[in-house]
Structures are given as structure tokens and as C-alpha cells.
Amino acid sequence: MTQQKAYIFCENLYPLVLARRAVYAKDAGYRTILISTELSAPEIKSLRDFEESKLEGKTVFDVMIPTDLFDLDTLRQHVAEIEKETPIGGFMCGIGTFHNGSLVGSNVSILAEERGLVSQNSDAVFRCNNKFLTRDALRAAGVPTVDFGMATDEETARVHASRIGYPVILKPVNGAASHMIVKCSNEEELVSKFRDAMERLPNSTNKGSYESAHSYPDRSGTVVHFDPMTSMLVEKYIPGREASVEMMITEDEYIPLLVHDKVTMSERERCFYEHLLVVPPQRFTQEEEQEMKDYAVAVAKAVGLKNSFSHVELRYGDDGMGPQLLEINPRIGGMWVQESIKALVGIDPQPIHVKMMDGTFTAESEYKSSDEIHAMFTIYPPHSGLLEKVDGLEELKQIPEMIHSKQAVPNGSVIYAEDEECFLVMCFIKTDSYERVYEIYEDACKMVSFTINQNVTSQEEVANA
């Protein structure tokens, strides 16, 4: 009798994103093991509710190993203990961002590579999670990318911006959710916003990631030290239309699936917000759409990513610039991207990813996308504070074209609306026209309202109340 193998899931940020994938692994005969931060009371309740509703009370994870240490040595120790009883058939990470000095996603890939198992490529995962190293990889591969540099203080910020030419963008080297991305039109703004960032980063919601100082070689082999808490990436501002390419990458194939057209965007003081996305793209010709897909493939090849879904954000630059990278993620996109792929391409990324990471997935010869109009949008909170309630959710569900709508952040959470994209209410629709998309979006924004206590500025205040 063949011994049952273990499928190890590892995540430091949102462990429950792996729950449904673990179900598919169990269905394939694996023993499922989760290594993650200790689940909070709300997370435990959500997991138990999921098990009751979807699994008739059966557990998603056979073993759960709580930890706040995701360095390679600690993970190796956990895995060695598992291997005393069970051989391992696959590893999977969810978001896998930096955590207390370690890049979790890259470390999980190393564990797979050490055992000859399928991996996303640990080096590629690292470069995807460091925006300087991403652009360095593109430059080394000859893939078009804007000029950039690391600002470790105000003077180096001035030097890089002067060389690059205004306007420039300042952004954390390992940020997420458009956190603390600021546009600077001149030297005065550059210095002011750099100083502001240095004050805000230590108190941000992404503090644990920014505290993760690290060193890594660029493509020339020069080891570069990064301290995200005291530095910012400087890069040329890209004027143009924004979009994202959703890709499926196997061991040796790069398959663009969809292009989402970000038709409604806004640039605020400390964050860029994407409000409304449509697919198929409305503002791009078929030639431009194909150009973006080809460019996304070139980007993924340049960093070396494999065995992964990937979300490639770009702008189609004005004045003949063509597609230009904003960032590449070694995972599926947020909001309703997963549902969009299911609706338009007819595949479910969750079970496919499980099969990718144990080496049993074979891509089809062709993936075609429907031309039926779909859209996703977010309704953002107007300001920061304690979220007390959201009104209008039932009215949203009554919209005939609504496929999915949800409140993504629970009441009782402190939100930071000015510094990052807070996907508070998210909707996914199918319509007969782009005009109807805009009508629904405008109506939804009028339907939904938020009650937010601006006097509460941190979750610690809530805990101590």
C-alpha cells in the first residue's frame, strides 16, 4: 500500500486563503498540514463555519503548526519533524510576503527545491517581492522598464530624481495594496514626501514587512542591502492607461488569460486607487491588448517565475512608450480576479494551482476568453477610523446584473483609508454594455454608506476600550 503523502501549506499573512486549496489537496489523497501564524478568534470561527458548510464538519487541515518565525532554519525544522512520519508531495504558499526579516514565499520555494519538488522558483519569488530587484531583472533582460533607483536618504532621493526627471514616484521597496505610493512633481515635493514616508512607515499596517531588512544580489551579482523602513524606490512616473494581465505559468509555458482594463482610477495624496475594472478591455485595441500580453510574458520570463498564477500590473504609456511594468505578483490578483477567470476563461485557479505544485497539472493546448462584458469594482471608505457598520449591502444584491458582492472588511476593524487601498465593499457584475457597467457602479456608490469613527486610529485602542 502506497504511503499517504503530506501537502504542506504555509502562510504568514492570510492563512485562510489556503483553505479551499487544502480541500482540493485532501480530495487528491494528501494529508494537509498548515504552517502559519496563530489563527485569531475570528479566523478560527471562519474556518469552522467553512468546515461545517462545505465539509460536513470534517477538518480542512489535518495538522496546524502555529509560528511567528518563518526563517528558513525554523521552517526546515518543522518540515523535518513532518517527514519523520509522512513523505511530502507538495508545498504551497498563499501571499508569502516579508515577515520579521524573512520572505516567506521564497523560503517555501527553497524547501520544495531542496526536495526536488515543484517550485515557483525561489529566486523569482524574491525578485517579484522586491520592486528594485524586479526592475533590475527587466533591465538585465532587455525588457523595457522606466529608470529607477533606491533612495536611502533625502540626498540620494534628489540625485535619482534629478537623473530620472520629474515627475517621479516614491514607493516602498516591498509594499503592497498601493500603500504609500506618492507622486512628486518637483524637488520640494520629493523631499517633503520622503520625510513624510519616513515618519509613517514605522506605524503603518505593513510594519512587519517593512521591518524586514534584507540583502540580495542584483542581476550583475552585486549584493544590495535593503532596509524598507528607511528607504524608498524612486522611479519615473508613467502617464497612460492602466491595466492588469492575469497569467498562468507552468514549468515552461507562459499563458496570458485575461486583460483587465482599469477604467476608473484615482491618484490621491498617499495612494493610488483602482475603482472599476472591465473585461474585455474597453480602451485598448486588439493589437494593444496583445502587446500587453506579450510584455507580461517577457516580464515573467525576466524574473524567472514558474508554476504560478501571476498578476502583472502595467500602464500603457503615452507618447509611444507602450506597455510599462508597475509590478508583478507571484500569485493571483485580488478583488474578484479569481471569479473573473472562472467566468470568462472557464477554469478554476484553485484546483489548478494545487495540481501545479504537486506536478500533476498539464495545460490545455489553448485557453480562450469569452467576450461577454464583466466588471469588478470596489467602494472605498471616505476616511480612516473604526468601521462600525456598512449600509446598503442588501440593495446591492438586488441589482439584476450582480454576480457577487460582499463586505470584505468586518465591522470593528480599524481601517487606514488614506494610506492604502482598503477593499471594503467589492462587487462583480455581468452586463450587456459598458454603459450599463458605469450606471451600476454609480448607483452602487450611492447605495452604500459607511459609519466610521474617526476618533479611533488603531486596533490597540479598540482592544483596550
Side-chain angles (χ1 to χ4, degrees):
M1 182 177 178
T2 304
Q3 185 178 4
Q4 184 184 33
K5 293 183 178 181
Y7 208 124
I8 297 182
F9 297 86
C10 185
E11 174 58 23
N12 59 301
L13 199 58
Y14 302 117
L16 296 193
V17 302
L18 295 169
R20 195 156 72 90
R21 278 172 263 188
V23 172
Y24 290 115
K26 288 198 91 165
D27 289 344
Y30 287 100
R31 185 170 182 241
T32 55
I33 299 174
L34 174 67
I35 302 173
S36 76
T37 49
E38 188 166 1
L39 300 187
S40 65
E43 286 175 326
I44 292 173
K45 183 180 184 305
S46 293
L47 181 59
R48 298 296 172 246
D49 290 344
F50 175 78
E51 291 170 339
E52 287 296 328
S53 62
K54 304 296 184 182
L55 300 176
E56 299 179 342
K58 298 177 183 176
T59 58
V60 171
F61 299 105
D62 296 309
V63 177
M64 292 196 293
I65 302 172
T67 183
D68 197 46
L69 298 174
F70 292 87
D71 60 278
L72 197 52
D73 286 342
T74 298
L75 292 180
R76 280 175 173 149
Q77 292 171 16
H78 289 308
V79 172
E81 288 299 313
I82 294 167
E83 287 179 309
K84 289 179 180 179
E85 298 181 2
T86 314
I88 297 170
F91 287 88
M92 179 175 291
C93 191
I95 310 299
T97 56
F98 280 96
H99 184 94
N100 294 337
S102 296
L103 182 55
V104 181
S106 183
N107 284 350
V108 172
S109 291
I110 290 173
L111 293 173
E113 290 161 3
E114 289 175 342
R115 289 157 178 78
L117 298 173
V118 174
S119 162
Q120 290 181 291
N121 183 349
S122 58
D123 178 73
V125 172
F126 209 106
R127 296 186 192 280
C128 287
N129 279 275
N130 179 303
K131 300 180 194 306
F132 178 93
L133 294 174
T134 300
R135 292 210 179 278
D136 172 73
L138 266 59
R139 184 168 58 187
V143 177
T145 182
V146 294
D147 198 359
F148 63 100
M150 278 301 302
T152 54
D153 52 32
E154 293 175 20
E155 181 56 31
T156 51
R158 287 192 189 97
V159 170
H160 288 307
S162 178
R163 182 194 74 251
I164 293 168
Y166 292 96
V168 297
I169 293 292
L170 285 178
K171 62 173 66 171
V173 69
N174 61 345
S178 296
H179 182 258
M180 286 300 299
I181 296 179
V182 295
K183 180 181 177 182
C184 308
S185 298
N186 52 55
E187 184 175 299
E188 183 180 357
E189 286 187 6
L190 177 83
V191 172
S192 173
K193 292 180 179 182
F194 185 89
R195 289 175 180 172
D196 182 64
M198 295 302 99
E199 293 177 3
R200 292 181 180 276
L201 290 177
N203 300 307
S204 71
T205 55
N206 204 28
K207 178 182 177 181
S209 182
Y210 297 147
E211 288 176 329
S212 297
H214 54 279
S215 298
Y216 206 80
D218 63 16
R219 283 296 197 211
S220 72
T222 301
V223 176
V224 183
H225 181 70
F226 302 93
D227 186 350
M229 193 69 83
T230 62
S231 58
M232 296 282 278
L233 182 68
V234 187
E235 60 185 33
K236 182 68 177 176
Y237 174 76
I238 306 167
R241 295 160 286 166
E242 191 160 327
S244 61
V245 180
E246 316 305 333
M247 296 183 63
M248 180 168 67
I249 306 170
T250 66
E251 185 73 25
D252 53 11
E253 296 176 281
Y254 296 81
I255 306 167
L257 300 172
L258 288 176
V259 175
H260 287 108
D261 186 354
K262 301 183 182 183
V263 294
T264 305
M265 299 278 299
S266 64
E267 300 178 4
R268 301 186 191 175
E269 182 66 21
R270 296 191 298 274
C271 188
F272 284 51
Y273 300 84
E274 51 189 60
H275 301 272
L276 174 62
L277 293 75
V278 299
V279 60
Q282 180 186 8
R283 302 174 300 163
F284 297 90
T285 66
Q286 289 186 344
E287 290 77 14
E288 289 172 333
E289 182 179 356
Q290 186 60 52
E291 192 178 355
M292 289 187 289
K293 289 179 178 179
D294 293 343
Y295 179 77
V297 168
V299 169
K301 287 183 176 180
V303 298
L305 193 61
K306 59 183 182 178
N307 300 308
S308 179
F309 282 88
S310 180
H311 176 70
V312 183
E313 298 188 0
L314 53 84
R315 281 193 175 179
Y316 198 95
D318 295 339
D319 301 325
M321 290 178 68
Q324 292 287 331
L325 182 72
L326 295 175
E327 66 179 34
I328 176 173
N329 296 305
R331 54 188 173 273
I332 203 159
M335 211 186 302
W336 292 108
V337 167
Q338 192 164 233
E339 295 301 322
S340 188
I341 293 174
K342 289 168 66 175
L344 283 108
V345 186
I347 61 173
D348 187 345
Q350 299 271 20
I352 288 176
H353 196 198
V354 171
K355 291 182 178 180
M356 274 185 187
M357 302 312 295
D358 74 355
T360 60
F361 176 71
T362 301
E364 297 176 13
S365 59
E366 184 179 19
Y367 292 89
K368 291 185 177 181
S369 172
S370 167
D371 59 3
E372 295 178 315
I373 297 173
H374 289 69
M376 65 183 81
F377 59 85
T378 294
I379 303 175
Y380 293 98
H383 51 74
S384 300
L386 175 65
L387 176 63
E388 296 181 347
K389 68 172 182 174
V390 178
D391 291 310
L393 296 175
E394 290 304 315
E395 289 85 344
L396 280 182
K397 294 177 182 178
Q398 302 307 312
I399 297 174
E401 296 92 339
M402 188 66 65
I403 301 175
H404 300 291
S405 64
K406 71 175 182 179
Q407 177 180 340
V409 179
N411 294 339
S413 301
V414 175
I415 54 178
Y416 302 90
E418 289 83 13
D419 290 338
E420 64 186 24
E421 287 182 309
C422 180
F423 296 143
L424 216 169
V425 173
M426 305 190 304
C427 300
F428 184 52
I429 61 176
K430 176 184 176 183
T431 71
D432 294 328
S433 69
Y434 292 114
E435 290 76 17
R436 180 58 182 151
V437 168
Y438 292 103
E439 290 176 1
I440 294 172
Y441 172 65
E442 291 174 0
D443 289 344
C445 288
K446 295 174 184 176
M447 288 177 188
V448 175
S449 62
F450 307 107
T451 301
I452 301 171
N453 185 345
Q454 291 181 266
N455 295 321
V456 181
T457 60
S458 70
Q459 208 66 47
E460 288 75 16
E461 292 179 55
V462 178
N464 295 329

PDB file of all heavy atoms in Angstrom, residues 251-273:
ATOM      1  N   GLU A 251       5.704  24.966 -15.703  1.00  0.00           N
ATOM      2  CA  GLU A 251       7.156  24.807 -15.637  1.00  0.00           C
ATOM      3  C   GLU A 251       7.840  25.474 -16.832  1.00  0.00           C
ATOM      4  O   GLU A 251       8.935  26.011 -16.714  1.00  0.00           O
ATOM      5  CB  GLU A 251       7.514  23.317 -15.581  1.00  0.00           C
ATOM      6  CG  GLU A 251       8.985  23.019 -15.394  1.00  0.00           C
ATOM      7  CD  GLU A 251       9.477  23.322 -13.986  1.00  0.00           C
ATOM      8  OE1 GLU A 251       8.661  23.309 -13.039  1.00  0.00           O
ATOM      9  OE2 GLU A 251      10.694  23.564 -13.839  1.00  0.00           O
ATOM     10  N   ASP A 252       7.178  25.451 -17.981  1.00  0.00           N
ATOM     11  CA  ASP A 252       7.838  26.001 -19.179  1.00  0.00           C
ATOM     12  C   ASP A 252       6.887  26.725 -20.128  1.00  0.00           C
ATOM     13  O   ASP A 252       7.258  27.042 -21.259  1.00  0.00           O
ATOM     14  CB  ASP A 252       8.546  24.869 -19.940  1.00  0.00           C
ATOM     15  CG  ASP A 252       7.613  23.696 -20.243  1.00  0.00           C
ATOM     16  OD1 ASP A 252       6.388  23.843 -20.057  1.00  0.00           O
ATOM     17  OD2 ASP A 252       8.118  22.646 -20.660  1.00  0.00           O
ATOM     18  N   GLU A 253       5.655  27.027 -19.696  1.00  0.00           N
ATOM     19  CA  GLU A 253       4.703  27.743 -20.535  1.00  0.00           C
ATOM     20  C   GLU A 253       4.227  29.021 -19.831  1.00  0.00           C
ATOM     21  O   GLU A 253       4.008  29.020 -18.615  1.00  0.00           O
ATOM     22  CB  GLU A 253       3.492  26.871 -20.855  1.00  0.00           C
ATOM     23  CG  GLU A 253       3.805  25.642 -21.682  1.00  0.00           C
ATOM     24  CD  GLU A 253       2.564  24.778 -21.880  1.00  0.00           C
ATOM     25  OE1 GLU A 253       2.220  24.033 -20.944  1.00  0.00           O
ATOM     26  OE2 GLU A 253       1.936  24.865 -22.947  1.00  0.00           O
ATOM     27  N   TYR A 254       4.040  30.071 -20.626  1.00  0.00           N
ATOM     28  CA  TYR A 254       3.546  31.355 -20.114  1.00  0.00           C
ATOM     29  C   TYR A 254       2.260  31.675 -20.863  1.00  0.00           C
ATOM     30  O   TYR A 254       2.288  31.949 -22.070  1.00  0.00           O
ATOM     31  CB  TYR A 254       4.590  32.452 -20.323  1.00  0.00           C
ATOM     32  CG  TYR A 254       5.866  32.211 -19.547  1.00  0.00           C
ATOM     33  CD1 TYR A 254       6.847  31.342 -20.029  1.00  0.00           C
ATOM     34  CD2 TYR A 254       6.085  32.844 -18.323  1.00  0.00           C
ATOM     35  CE1 TYR A 254       8.013  31.113 -19.311  1.00  0.00           C
ATOM     36  CE2 TYR A 254       7.261  32.615 -17.604  1.00  0.00           C
ATOM     37  CZ  TYR A 254       8.207  31.753 -18.105  1.00  0.00           C
ATOM     38  OH  TYR A 254       9.356  31.525 -17.382  1.00  0.00           O
ATOM     39  N   ILE A 255       1.130  31.621 -20.148  1.00  0.00           N
ATOM     40  CA  ILE A 255      -0.178  31.682 -20.799  1.00  0.00           C
ATOM     41  C   ILE A 255      -0.971  32.879 -20.274  1.00  0.00           C
ATOM     42  O   ILE A 255      -1.554  32.822 -19.180  1.00  0.00           O
ATOM     43  CB  ILE A 255      -0.968  30.375 -20.539  1.00  0.00           C
ATOM     44  CG1 ILE A 255      -0.131  29.159 -20.947  1.00  0.00           C
ATOM     45  CG2 ILE A 255      -2.294  30.407 -21.304  1.00  0.00           C
ATOM     46  CD1 ILE A 255      -0.678  27.840 -20.445  1.00  0.00           C
ATOM     47  N   PRO A 256      -1.037  33.976 -21.023  1.00  0.00           N
ATOM     48  CA  PRO A 256      -1.902  35.094 -20.618  1.00  0.00           C
ATOM     49  C   PRO A 256      -3.365  34.692 -20.768  1.00  0.00           C
ATOM     50  O   PRO A 256      -3.759  34.141 -21.804  1.00  0.00           O
ATOM     51  CB  PRO A 256      -1.522  36.206 -21.606  1.00  0.00           C
ATOM     52  CG  PRO A 256      -0.245  35.770 -22.242  1.00  0.00           C
ATOM     53  CD  PRO A 256      -0.265  34.282 -22.239  1.00  0.00           C
ATOM     54  N   LEU A 257      -4.146  34.953 -19.748  1.00  0.00           N
ATOM     55  CA  LEU A 257      -5.553  34.553 -19.751  1.00  0.00           C
ATOM     56  C   LEU A 257      -6.495  35.716 -20.000  1.00  0.00           C
ATOM     57  O   LEU A 257      -7.422  35.607 -20.797  1.00  0.00           O
ATOM     58  CB  LEU A 257      -5.908  33.890 -18.410  1.00  0.00           C
ATOM     59  CG  LEU A 257      -5.128  32.630 -18.047  1.00  0.00           C
ATOM     60  CD1 LEU A 257      -5.455  32.208 -16.621  1.00  0.00           C
ATOM     61  CD2 LEU A 257      -5.427  31.496 -19.027  1.00  0.00           C
ATOM     62  N   LEU A 258      -6.277  36.821 -19.298  1.00  0.00           N
ATOM     63  CA  LEU A 258      -7.188  37.961 -19.358  1.00  0.00           C
ATOM     64  C   LEU A 258      -6.415  39.266 -19.238  1.00  0.00           C
ATOM     65  O   LEU A 258      -5.349  39.309 -18.625  1.00  0.00           O
ATOM     66  CB  LEU A 258      -8.204  37.918 -18.203  1.00  0.00           C
ATOM     67  CG  LEU A 258      -9.320  36.887 -18.209  1.00  0.00           C
ATOM     68  CD1 LEU A 258     -10.116  37.016 -16.913  1.00  0.00           C
ATOM     69  CD2 LEU A 258     -10.234  37.054 -19.406  1.00  0.00           C
ATOM     70  N   VAL A 259      -7.006  40.335 -19.789  1.00  0.00           N
ATOM     71  CA  VAL A 259      -6.530  41.687 -19.534  1.00  0.00           C
ATOM     72  C   VAL A 259      -7.680  42.474 -18.931  1.00  0.00           C
ATOM     73  O   VAL A 259      -8.740  42.607 -19.541  1.00  0.00           O
ATOM     74  CB  VAL A 259      -6.039  42.383 -20.814  1.00  0.00           C
ATOM     75  CG1 VAL A 259      -5.668  43.844 -20.513  1.00  0.00           C
ATOM     76  CG2 VAL A 259      -4.843  41.652 -21.407  1.00  0.00           C
ATOM     77  N   HIS A 260      -7.491  42.945 -17.701  1.00  0.00           N
ATOM     78  CA  HIS A 260      -8.489  43.795 -17.052  1.00  0.00           C
ATOM     79  C   HIS A 260      -8.133  45.259 -17.300  1.00  0.00           C
ATOM     80  O   HIS A 260      -7.016  45.681 -17.024  1.00  0.00           O
ATOM     81  CB  HIS A 260      -8.542  43.527 -15.541  1.00  0.00           C
ATOM     82  CG  HIS A 260      -9.194  42.228 -15.193  1.00  0.00           C
ATOM     83  ND1 HIS A 260      -8.477  41.146 -14.733  1.00  0.00           N
ATOM     84  CD2 HIS A 260     -10.490  41.833 -15.243  1.00  0.00           C
ATOM     85  CE1 HIS A 260      -9.308  40.136 -14.500  1.00  0.00           C
ATOM     86  NE2 HIS A 260     -10.535  40.525 -14.813  1.00  0.00           N
ATOM     87  N   ASP A 261      -9.090  45.988 -17.808  1.00  0.00           N
ATOM     88  CA  ASP A 261      -8.918  47.406 -18.100  1.00  0.00           C
ATOM     89  C   ASP A 261      -9.375  48.211 -16.886  1.00  0.00           C
ATOM     90  O   ASP A 261     -10.544  48.185 -16.504  1.00  0.00           O
ATOM     91  CB  ASP A 261      -9.773  47.751 -19.328  1.00  0.00           C
ATOM     92  CG  ASP A 261      -9.569  49.169 -19.822  1.00  0.00           C
ATOM     93  OD1 ASP A 261      -8.857  49.943 -19.159  1.00  0.00           O
ATOM     94  OD2 ASP A 261     -10.145  49.499 -20.877  1.00  0.00           O
ATOM     95  N   LYS A 262      -8.450  48.930 -16.270  1.00  0.00           N
ATOM     96  CA  LYS A 262      -8.767  49.712 -15.072  1.00  0.00           C
ATOM     97  C   LYS A 262      -9.310  51.076 -15.504  1.00  0.00           C
ATOM     98  O   LYS A 262      -8.598  52.075 -15.515  1.00  0.00           O
ATOM     99  CB  LYS A 262      -7.527  49.856 -14.189  1.00  0.00           C
ATOM    100  CG  LYS A 262      -6.955  48.503 -13.742  1.00  0.00           C
ATOM    101  CD  LYS A 262      -5.763  48.678 -12.814  1.00  0.00           C
ATOM    102  CE  LYS A 262      -5.178  47.329 -12.420  1.00  0.00           C
ATOM    103  NZ  LYS A 262      -4.060  47.451 -11.462  1.00  0.00           N
ATOM    104  N   VAL A 263     -10.580  51.093 -15.840  1.00  0.00           N
ATOM    105  CA  VAL A 263     -11.163  52.262 -16.500  1.00  0.00           C
ATOM    106  C   VAL A 263     -11.373  53.443 -15.559  1.00  0.00           C
ATOM    107  O   VAL A 263     -11.474  54.585 -16.004  1.00  0.00           O
ATOM    108  CB  VAL A 263     -12.501  51.912 -17.188  1.00  0.00           C
ATOM    109  CG1 VAL A 263     -12.266  50.948 -18.340  1.00  0.00           C
ATOM    110  CG2 VAL A 263     -13.494  51.316 -16.195  1.00  0.00           C
ATOM    111  N   THR A 264     -11.468  53.183 -14.260  1.00  0.00           N
ATOM    112  CA  THR A 264     -11.629  54.277 -13.298  1.00  0.00           C
ATOM    113  C   THR A 264     -10.569  54.153 -12.219  1.00  0.00           C
ATOM    114  O   THR A 264     -10.567  53.203 -11.436  1.00  0.00           O
ATOM    115  CB  THR A 264     -13.034  54.255 -12.655  1.00  0.00           C
ATOM    116  OG1 THR A 264     -14.019  54.279 -13.680  1.00  0.00           O
ATOM    117  CG2 THR A 264     -13.225  55.467 -11.760  1.00  0.00           C
ATOM    118  N   MET A 265      -9.655  55.117 -12.209  1.00  0.00           N
ATOM    119  CA  MET A 265      -8.573  55.165 -11.246  1.00  0.00           C
ATOM    120  C   MET A 265      -8.555  56.545 -10.596  1.00  0.00           C
ATOM    121  O   MET A 265      -9.096  57.512 -11.138  1.00  0.00           O
ATOM    122  CB  MET A 265      -7.221  54.952 -11.940  1.00  0.00           C
ATOM    123  CG  MET A 265      -7.053  53.633 -12.654  1.00  0.00           C
ATOM    124  SD  MET A 265      -6.593  52.305 -11.535  1.00  0.00           S
ATOM    125  CE  MET A 265      -5.029  52.907 -10.894  1.00  0.00           C
ATOM    126  N   SER A 266      -7.930  56.644  -9.437  1.00  0.00           N
ATOM    127  CA  SER A 266      -7.708  57.955  -8.833  1.00  0.00           C
ATOM    128  C   SER A 266      -6.357  57.955  -8.134  1.00  0.00           C
ATOM    129  O   SER A 266      -5.923  56.942  -7.587  1.00  0.00           O
ATOM    130  CB  SER A 266      -8.827  58.319  -7.852  1.00  0.00           C
ATOM    131  OG  SER A 266      -8.856  57.436  -6.753  1.00  0.00           O
ATOM    132  N   GLU A 267      -5.695  59.081  -8.190  1.00  0.00           N
ATOM    133  CA  GLU A 267      -4.395  59.265  -7.553  1.00  0.00           C
ATOM    134  C   GLU A 267      -4.574  60.259  -6.412  1.00  0.00           C
ATOM    135  O   GLU A 267      -4.780  61.444  -6.641  1.00  0.00           O
ATOM    136  CB  GLU A 267      -3.373  59.785  -8.562  1.00  0.00           C
ATOM    137  CG  GLU A 267      -3.151  58.863  -9.752  1.00  0.00           C
ATOM    138  CD  GLU A 267      -2.167  59.428 -10.768  1.00  0.00           C
ATOM    139  OE1 GLU A 267      -1.601  60.507 -10.484  1.00  0.00           O
ATOM    140  OE2 GLU A 267      -1.966  58.809 -11.820  1.00  0.00           O
ATOM    141  N   ARG A 268      -4.500  59.756  -5.182  1.00  0.00           N
ATOM    142  CA  ARG A 268      -4.632  60.630  -4.034  1.00  0.00           C
ATOM    143  C   ARG A 268      -3.264  60.911  -3.434  1.00  0.00           C
ATOM    144  O   ARG A 268      -2.239  60.511  -3.980  1.00  0.00           O
ATOM    145  CB  ARG A 268      -5.592  60.020  -3.004  1.00  0.00           C
ATOM    146  CG  ARG A 268      -6.998  59.768  -3.571  1.00  0.00           C
ATOM    147  CD  ARG A 268      -7.954  59.296  -2.497  1.00  0.00           C
ATOM    148  NE  ARG A 268      -9.206  58.801  -3.087  1.00  0.00           N
ATOM    149  CZ  ARG A 268     -10.188  58.246  -2.390  1.00  0.00           C
ATOM    150  NH1 ARG A 268     -10.084  58.101  -1.065  1.00  0.00           N
ATOM    151  NH2 ARG A 268     -11.275  57.808  -2.999  1.00  0.00           N
ATOM    152  N   GLU A 269      -3.265  61.592  -2.314  1.00  0.00           N
ATOM    153  CA  GLU A 269      -2.017  62.099  -1.751  1.00  0.00           C
ATOM    154  C   GLU A 269      -1.007  60.987  -1.467  1.00  0.00           C
ATOM    155  O   GLU A 269       0.178  61.124  -1.766  1.00  0.00           O
ATOM    156  CB  GLU A 269      -2.311  62.876  -0.456  1.00  0.00           C
ATOM    157  CG  GLU A 269      -1.085  63.495   0.193  1.00  0.00           C
ATOM    158  CD  GLU A 269      -0.451  64.591  -0.640  1.00  0.00           C
ATOM    159  OE1 GLU A 269      -1.145  65.153  -1.506  1.00  0.00           O
ATOM    160  OE2 GLU A 269       0.742  64.884  -0.433  1.00  0.00           O
ATOM    161  N   ARG A 270      -1.483  59.865  -0.891  1.00  0.00           N
ATOM    162  CA  ARG A 270      -0.537  58.823  -0.483  1.00  0.00           C
ATOM    163  C   ARG A 270      -0.911  57.449  -1.013  1.00  0.00           C
ATOM    164  O   ARG A 270      -0.430  56.437  -0.503  1.00  0.00           O
ATOM    165  CB  ARG A 270      -0.432  58.773   1.054  1.00  0.00           C
ATOM    166  CG  ARG A 270       0.143  60.022   1.676  1.00  0.00           C
ATOM    167  CD  ARG A 270       0.478  59.817   3.145  1.00  0.00           C
ATOM    168  NE  ARG A 270      -0.681  59.498   3.958  1.00  0.00           N
ATOM    169  CZ  ARG A 270      -1.483  60.411   4.496  1.00  0.00           C
ATOM    170  NH1 ARG A 270      -1.266  61.700   4.284  1.00  0.00           N
ATOM    171  NH2 ARG A 270      -2.505  60.049   5.241  1.00  0.00           N
ATOM    172  N   CYS A 271      -1.749  57.384  -2.030  1.00  0.00           N
ATOM    173  CA  CYS A 271      -2.159  56.072  -2.523  1.00  0.00           C
ATOM    174  C   CYS A 271      -2.802  56.204  -3.905  1.00  0.00           C
ATOM    175  O   CYS A 271      -3.403  57.232  -4.221  1.00  0.00           O
ATOM    176  CB  CYS A 271      -3.148  55.431  -1.545  1.00  0.00           C
ATOM    177  SG  CYS A 271      -3.544  53.719  -1.919  1.00  0.00           S
ATOM    178  N   PHE A 272      -2.670  55.164  -4.717  1.00  0.00           N
ATOM    179  CA  PHE A 272      -3.349  55.079  -5.995  1.00  0.00           C
ATOM    180  C   PHE A 272      -4.489  54.060  -5.840  1.00  0.00           C
ATOM    181  O   PHE A 272      -4.266  52.948  -5.366  1.00  0.00           O
ATOM    182  CB  PHE A 272      -2.384  54.607  -7.089  1.00  0.00           C
ATOM    183  CG  PHE A 272      -1.428  55.669  -7.562  1.00  0.00           C
ATOM    184  CD1 PHE A 272      -0.669  56.417  -6.666  1.00  0.00           C
ATOM    185  CD2 PHE A 272      -1.276  55.918  -8.910  1.00  0.00           C
ATOM    186  CE1 PHE A 272       0.215  57.383  -7.098  1.00  0.00           C
ATOM    187  CE2 PHE A 272      -0.393  56.897  -9.362  1.00  0.00           C
ATOM    188  CZ  PHE A 272       0.359  57.624  -8.451  1.00  0.00           C
ATOM    189  N   TYR A 273      -5.698  54.452  -6.255  1.00  0.00           N
ATOM    190  CA  TYR A 273      -6.865  53.593  -6.062  1.00  0.00           C
ATOM    191  C   TYR A 273      -7.412  53.141  -7.408  1.00  0.00           C
ATOM    192  O   TYR A 273      -7.591  53.939  -8.322  1.00  0.00           O
ATOM    193  CB  TYR A 273      -7.969  54.336  -5.311  1.00  0.00           C
ATOM    194  CG  TYR A 273      -7.577  54.813  -3.929  1.00  0.00           C
ATOM    195  CD1 TYR A 273      -6.898  56.017  -3.755  1.00  0.00           C
ATOM    196  CD2 TYR A 273      -7.881  54.058  -2.804  1.00  0.00           C
ATOM    197  CE1 TYR A 273      -6.532  56.463  -2.495  1.00  0.00           C
ATOM    198  CE2 TYR A 273      -7.523  54.496  -1.539  1.00  0.00           C
ATOM    199  CZ  TYR A 273      -6.842  55.688  -1.401  1.00  0.00           C
ATOM    200  OH  TYR A 273      -6.475  56.133  -0.152  1.00  0.00           O
TER     201      TYR A 273
END
